[in-house]
Amino acid sequence: MAEQTFELIVIGAGPGGYVAAIRAAQLGLNVALVEKRASLGGVCLNEGCIPSKALLESSEHFFRARHEFAEHGIEVGEAQLNLGQMMERKQAIIKKLTGGIAGLMKKNKISTFQGEAELQAADRVRIKSDSGETELQGKSILLATGSEAIELPHLPFDGEKIINARDALSLSEVPKRLLVVGGGVIGLEMGSVWSRLGAEVTVVEMLPQILPQSDPQLAQMLQRSLKKQGLAILLETRLESIEQIDEGIQAKLSNEKGEQQLVCDKILVATGRRAQSKGLGLENVGLKTNKQGQLEVDEDFQTEVAGIYAIGDLVPGPMLAHKASDEGVVFAERLVGQKPSINYQHIPAVTYTWPEVASVGRSEAGLKADQIPYQAGKFYFAASGRALCNGTSDGFIKVLASPEGGRILGVHIVGPHASELIAEATTVISFGGSVQDLAVTSHAHPTLAEALKEAALAAAGEAIHG
Amino acid sequence: MDIIVPQVGESIVEAEIGQWFKQDGEQVEKDELLLELETEKINVELNADASGKLSILVQEGETVKIGALIGRIDESAAGAEPAEKTEPAVEETVEEKAEGKQGRPETKQAAVTAEPSEPASDQEQPPMNPAVAKLAAERNIDLSTIKGSGRGGRILVDDLPEAGKQPEPAGKAEPETPQPTESSASETGKKDLQDERVERVPMTQIRKKIASRLLKARQETAMLTTFNEIDMSRVISLRNSHKAAFEKKHGVPLGFMSFFVKACAEALKEFAAVNAQIDGDDILYHHYYDIGVAVGSKRGLVVPVIRDADRLHFDDIEKTIRDFAARADSGKLSLDDLTGGTFTISNGGIYGSVLSTPLLNPPQSAILGMHAIQDRAVVVDGEIAIRPMMNIALSYDHRIIDGKEAVSFLKQIKTYIEDPEQMLLEM
């Protein structure tokens, strides 16, 4: 059994792990990266963020060709779907990006190992793969194994009828009727994809709003828009049981008003994700997870066991790829004595539906709960010249600012390209910027970004076009 | 009067009642916010057109057509209950949610402006650029002592003092007693420029590079220096007797440097650690002897490397050094010329230095310092004699070179220079 020694061993090559590995290597450490998949990039690149965005983009083009081209004066006849080509394109993007990460590992002289890692001691990892076993010795070990989809006890995944988000990215044909359990980010994104491609999609959500973490006004606006696109959304509704019948799967749904039956062909369960630490050998080093299955860490991301660190979905906080990457960088820098830190209030969250939903900073509800005075300013894309030209004028931007200094506390966007617009808001907030800072910053015209400036001005009661 | 769903936009035919901000039966004032209407494009806030008692006809969440009647204000009831009008209802609902209980208006108002709880960090910290927090933590700077130069007093990265320096307390620094320290210079930068007693010039890129390399050498190694002295009389007489012939044959004058390069190459073979370097947790021993020679040029100090110095003849070494000096002045040294040395020789003697500690050139582990030759009274065979003497110094990284090795290496150099025949005959 060969044994090699490293200054840092990173377990998991997702957006947390591979970024931490690169940063540590840049800072002069001798780094090993262990990944159980054949390709690097984790869930994000292989079966999450990236493939879903590829399909969202493709399906949006299809939707537009069918429903919106005519309005622009473009006649293309009946648009035809070639799902195989759409999937091939998605696959090519994954291949390109995961290959790119492999290249980055080489460039940074990071030793990569393929196999399942198990902690043997606080400084030792055993890697099992098809080609055998090997052990690595590491001064520090970073756990970045991410998360997995939660399975419902009465609806075990079978990859056919009862599917998870990963399966939903690779269906070989458009299901006629798709039931989505869970009105969160993943459920709505995947529901949107298959709805645009022709499926009859019904989303059931137990809570009184979709995107339960989001501002209720954003959620309502999105819900209205999704409804218009053809998705049925049932709030405060739960899936009680399913039964296989001739016409498909009969799902029994219940809410306050009573029960109803719904027949569908597939059920996508997207009720959330949980930290993935099974098989990692935590028990061998005396590490215990909290109730949510996560590892508690200190500001250096060190677990209760000295020398073992954890980041990303494995530790508390929002389960976001960029949160994991940010933590990876901060972890590596702190490991060598630098002193960066993360302000978790300044991490943006995005839902890539149509319209997109994006938020950063404090929520209105949170400010109210903490009794922090604020002023809200809104700007509707319906008043944005660029949005009207684009034919995408659903939605608005809401800016929450302190009434005294005008400091921007939160920005919430539902609308076209919210995912990109949130970047400016994030920059302003992380610089401690104010309404006045945005007011004196020139915004190109006509752009969607002008809407942020207008919303900020509205918070100060000084909107030009509001 | 009737409350009607207004015309919102061209293509909008219906709206949803988003939220009533007033209760059914509540007294409302003219222009007070009544409700929010939601449409597929925008949300619209409706204010009361008159004062009176509100009756709500359509509940929240229901969809209504443009022009539909959704409520009424009974104007005859205006002013009936003036006591309740002082506190706008919209704020009340907000506060009730926040407090989770009812309270008198005065106390609610106070609660809103009270100290915020958890997110105090963001509220109380002065606005600053995001990198400031990181740098301040790394340099141990108390941000409350920093005066920000950005908009609204925002602390910018440029406002932070250099590593290892604390800022002058604000409001000090009288112009009568300017302190010539660097920290006061950086604090009162612009003023200094005006009074012309201090000139502020930005460091050139090469100076910055030198500065950071030198600092790194000090901070990241365990550097020690050992000294010795050399009686140069034998090597001087050897040089004098062969100088003319050497120059005639090879076209370059014979200097002392070639003797030292040669002596170092031979001594490095005997003391492998001095020619080694640390790489992570390993030591790299070099089986070649690439010796850097510090050359002062018009463009600053550069250290070109003489490759495989142990295999070169004296004339090759002298020619290489001359070539380096010429190219350093004209700026034609390539990066290849300057990188990869395993050991360095620095000659402070050409500027008259009698004794100094050279600074390591990482990742190398040792550097030899040569100095000026001085006639000094020394004891030779029990007699006081005048001899041309040179002090030599070896700075070394104690992490991989032991004191004994360093001292012995330096003593070997002394032996080779004092008795050059031994070296030339490779004994």
Side-chain angles (χ1 to χ4, degrees):
Chain A
M1 191 184 293
E3 188 166 306
Q4 285 176 267
T5 302
F6 294 91
E7 283 165 294
L8 173 65
I9 300 172
V10 179
I11 302 175
Y18 88 75
V19 168
I22 291 177
R23 188 66 188 127
Q26 283 176 343
L27 293 168
L29 300 187
N30 177 20
V31 183
L33 179 66
V34 188
E35 168 59 46
K36 70 175 175 191
R37 279 191 182 78
S39 62
L40 304 177
V43 169
C44 171
L45 253 72
N46 291 283
E47 54 195 52
C49 331
I50 294 297
S52 63
K53 259 79 278 170
L55 291 186
L56 278 159
E57 186 68 20
S58 296
S59 60
E60 189 184 318
H61 285 310
F62 183 62
F63 184 88
R64 284 184 193 280
R66 288 177 79 189
H67 301 286
E68 293 177 11
F69 276 17
E71 185 194 328
H72 288 271
I74 304 168
E75 306 287 350
V76 291
E78 182 74 13
Q80 296 295 321
L81 175 64
N82 180 345
L83 188 60
Q85 164 59 24
M86 200 178 276
M87 291 295 173
E88 266 175 39
R89 174 181 178 275
K90 177 203 73 180
Q91 229 39 53
I93 293 167
I94 296 173
K95 200 172 163 213
K96 188 162 188 183
L97 287 173
T98 54
I101 295 177
L104 285 174
M105 295 304 113
K106 231 173 252 160
K107 183 184 153 203
N108 287 284
K109 302 194 170 58
I110 293 162
S111 311
T112 52
F113 296 85
Q114 201 255 312
E116 295 212 27
E118 186 186 3
L119 293 167
Q120 300 296 307
D123 61 350
R124 225 147 26 84
V125 175
R126 175 178 298 164
I127 304 169
K128 286 183 214 163
S129 69
D130 298 341
S131 54
E133 286 191 8
T134 182
E135 276 201 7
L136 304 183
Q137 186 94 24
K139 209 163 128 194
S140 305
I141 296 174
L142 176 66
L143 309 178
T145 48
S147 61
E148 60 186 356
I150 294 176
E151 198 172 49
L152 294 178
H154 59 296
L155 285 176
F157 295 128
D158 62 13
E160 266 302 310
K161 304 260 192 240
I162 314 294
I163 61 175
N164 58 27
R166 181 183 56 212
D167 304 325
L169 289 166
S170 304
L171 300 183
S172 52
E173 58 186 72
V174 180
K176 204 164 160 292
R177 296 155 300 183
L178 175 68
L179 175 63
V180 178
V181 184
V185 177
I186 296 173
L188 294 180
E189 288 185 2
M190 293 321 300
S192 292
V193 165
W194 293 109
S195 160
R196 292 168 189 173
L197 297 181
E200 254 177 58
V201 175
T202 305
V203 178
V204 294
E205 167 59 51
M206 266 170 57
L207 294 169
Q209 81 169 55
I210 55 168
L211 299 182
Q213 311 289 327
S214 291
D215 182 295
Q217 289 182 329
L218 269 60
Q220 278 165 25
M221 178 64 89
L222 174 64
Q223 185 177 339
R224 210 169 293 125
S225 203
L226 290 175
K227 232 158 118 184
K228 212 166 64 182
Q229 292 164 45
L231 281 87
I233 295 173
L234 305 172
L235 297 176
E236 294 179 274
T237 302
R238 55 171 73 231
L239 173 64
E240 295 293 347
S241 60
I242 57 165
E243 197 184 330
Q244 190 67 48
I245 57 171
D246 289 347
E247 303 92 272
I249 312 166
Q250 177 161 297
K252 191 161 90 181
L253 307 175
S254 75
N255 62 19
E256 260 189 339
K257 292 172 195 154
E259 290 187 352
Q260 68 181 97
Q261 309 288 341
L262 188 141
V263 179
C264 61
D265 304 301
K266 280 189 197 300
I267 299 180
L268 164 62
V269 179
T271 49
R273 302 181 63 82
R274 69 162 159 248
Q276 207 308 96
S277 63
K278 225 175 12 198
L280 201 47
L282 297 183
E283 61 286 351
N284 299 342
V285 293
L287 264 179
K288 284 206 175 68
T289 57
N290 66 15
K291 273 184 202 154
Q292 284 76 41
Q294 299 160 322
L295 290 167
E296 298 286 344
V297 289
D298 65 13
E299 59 178 354
D300 291 327
F301 297 99
Q302 185 157 240
T303 62
E304 285 159 1
V305 175
I308 300 185
Y309 301 78
I311 57 166
D313 289 358
L314 214 44
V315 305
M319 288 184 167
L320 298 169
H322 49 280
K323 177 251 193 188
S325 297
D326 292 351
E327 288 181 338
V329 169
V330 168
F331 153 76
E333 292 183 349
R334 292 189 79 93
L335 191 63
V336 301
Q338 296 185 13
K339 299 283 177 208
S341 55
I342 293 180
N343 189 331
Y344 286 90
Q345 291 288 352
H346 298 173
I347 297 179
V350 176
T351 306
Y352 295 83
T353 42
W354 183 263
E356 294 181 340
V357 178
S359 288
V360 67
R362 303 298 315 261
S363 68
E364 239 180 316
L367 290 170
K368 280 176 189 167
D370 290 330
Q371 303 185 0
I372 297 169
Y374 68 91
Q375 284 172 327
K378 252 191 211 173
F379 189 80
Y380 285 91
F381 287 107
S384 155
R386 184 68 196 278
L388 287 171
C389 292
N390 294 359
T392 55
S393 56
D394 283 8
F396 61 85
I397 296 186
K398 180 160 76 176
V399 170
L400 309 174
S402 96
E404 277 172 29
R407 182 132 173 203
I408 295 178
L409 307 172
V411 174
H412 305 274
I413 307 175
V414 54
H417 301 291
S419 56
E420 303 294 336
L421 295 172
I422 203 68
E424 183 188 9
T426 306
T427 304
V428 171
I429 286 183
S430 61
F431 272 75
S434 67
V435 167
Q436 289 72 30
D437 289 322
L438 273 174
V440 298
T441 303
S442 181
H443 285 66
H445 176 77
T447 57
L448 298 174
E450 289 173 294
L452 178 63
K453 180 174 178 174
E454 286 287 347
L457 288 172
E462 294 170 359
I464 305 287
H465 299 95
Chain B
M1 73 175 297
D2 294 345
I3 304 170
I4 304 280
V5 178
Q7 194 73 39
V8 186
E10 269 178 47
S11 59
I12 296 169
V13 294
E14 59 178 30
E16 193 173 299
I17 309 287
Q19 190 182 355
W20 282 102
F21 296 112
K22 298 285 181 182
Q23 307 281 320
D24 189 28
E26 196 176 325
Q27 193 68 28
V28 298
E29 284 290 283
K30 185 170 186 297
D31 292 333
E32 259 191 289
L33 180 63
L34 287 182
L35 80 155
E36 190 175 44
L37 282 172
E38 296 174 355
T39 74
E40 60 193 42
K41 294 240 182 270
I42 64 170
N43 290 6
V44 184
E45 290 174 345
L46 280 194
N47 295 326
D49 283 337
S51 303
K53 192 174 161 194
L54 174 71
S55 48
I56 292 175
L57 302 177
V58 181
Q59 296 302 318
E60 286 178 12
E62 292 190 33
T63 302
V64 287
K65 298 273 179 223
I66 301 299
L69 176 69
I70 53 174
R72 276 204 187 88
I73 295 173
D74 180 0
E75 290 165 81
S76 65
E81 299 163 77
E84 280 198 9
K85 289 188 288 181
T86 46
E87 194 71 10
V90 59
E91 280 187 35
E92 207 164 305
T93 54
V94 167
E95 288 148 14
E96 277 165 20
K97 267 186 205 157
E99 290 183 27
K101 60 175 193 268
Q102 291 280 3
R104 301 211 330 276
E106 291 80 11
T107 57
K108 283 181 213 160
Q109 204 58 47
V112 171
T113 50
E115 283 287 295
S117 51
E118 170 263 320
S121 53
D122 244 26
Q123 295 283 301
E124 285 168 6
Q125 266 181 10
M128 64 176 85
N129 290 8
V132 165
K134 180 187 179 199
L135 292 174
E138 285 166 11
R139 298 182 191 171
N140 257 326
I141 296 166
D142 176 3
L143 283 173
S144 65
T145 63
I146 305 289
K147 198 170 172 298
S149 66
R151 270 174 55 79
R154 177 169 300 134
I155 301 172
L156 313 182
V157 171
D158 293 344
D159 295 329
L160 299 178
E162 296 281 308
K165 290 171 193 157
Q166 273 298 318
E168 292 270 310
K172 211 187 134 193
E174 285 296 309
E176 278 82 11
T177 57
Q179 290 173 324
T181 67
E182 279 176 69
S183 74
S184 80
S186 66
E187 271 301 290
T188 55
K190 280 175 186 156
K191 206 184 279 173
D192 288 338
L193 278 179
Q194 283 161 5
D195 71 21
E196 293 181 83
R197 306 219 287 183
V198 176
E199 190 189 4
R200 174 175 290 260
V201 179
M203 279 202 268
T204 57
Q205 281 308 315
I206 187 160
R207 190 74 240 168
K208 277 191 215 167
K209 189 104 190 179
I210 291 171
S212 79
R213 273 191 69 90
L214 293 182
L215 190 65
K216 208 170 151 195
R218 279 227 86 106
Q219 288 172 339
E220 297 185 1
T221 60
M223 194 178 86
L224 270 185
T225 306
T226 180
F227 301 97
N228 214 316
E229 57 176 356
I230 300 179
D231 181 343
M232 298 288 287
S233 42
R234 293 280 291 278
V235 85
I236 288 174
S237 76
L238 184 72
R239 177 174 173 247
N240 285 343
S241 51
H242 299 290
K243 203 162 91 178
F246 185 93
E247 184 158 7
K248 197 172 169 201
K249 178 154 189 241
H250 299 298
V252 281
L254 177 61
F256 291 124
M257 196 49 131
S258 44
F259 287 92
F260 278 93
V261 170
K262 217 53 198 163
C264 287
E266 291 306 314
L268 288 172
K269 287 182 181 170
E270 298 173 49
F271 300 92
V274 183
N275 198 42
Q277 74 180 60
I278 292 183
D279 182 19
D281 286 335
D282 302 327
I283 297 176
L284 302 183
Y285 289 100
H286 300 110
H287 298 309
Y288 58 90
Y289 307 91
D290 287 359
I291 297 180
V293 180
V295 176
S297 78
K298 290 172 191 158
R299 293 159 185 263
L301 185 79
V302 290
V303 188
V305 178
I306 302 172
R307 307 287 164 187
D308 295 312
D310 59 322
R311 292 190 217 155
L312 295 184
H313 295 294
F314 278 61
D315 58 314
D316 293 326
I317 296 173
E318 288 296 344
K319 279 176 196 160
T320 308
I321 294 174
R322 296 208 122 223
D323 172 46
F324 281 151
R327 284 198 287 141
D329 276 342
S330 56
K332 285 187 183 141
L333 284 175
S334 71
L335 197 60
D336 280 345
D337 292 323
L338 300 172
T339 50
T342 59
F343 182 79
T344 296
I345 301 175
S346 149
N347 186 3
I350 56 173
Y351 305 116
S353 171
V354 175
L355 193 59
S356 63
T357 60
L359 191 62
L360 287 177
N361 186 12
Q364 296 169 21
S365 301
I367 179 169
L368 178 76
M370 292 162 60
H371 297 92
I373 301 167
Q374 291 179 312
D375 282 338
R376 286 207 290 263
V378 292
V379 178
V380 181
D381 297 330
E383 300 279 347
I384 295 177
I386 298 172
R387 289 291 171 91
M389 302 298 291
M390 179 196 277
N391 289 320
I392 50 172
L394 182 80
S395 290
Y396 60 98
D397 190 343
H398 209 349
R399 290 180 301 166
I400 64 166
I401 302 173
D402 291 327
K404 184 184 161 206
E405 284 177 298
V407 171
S408 306
F409 174 87
L410 197 59
K411 210 157 150 267
Q412 189 63 274
I413 301 283
K414 173 185 165 77
T415 306
Y416 282 146
I417 302 292
E418 287 188 347
D419 188 1
E421 287 86 346
Q422 191 187 338
M423 171 173 67
L424 296 171
L425 299 172
E426 299 188 351
M427 284 165 69

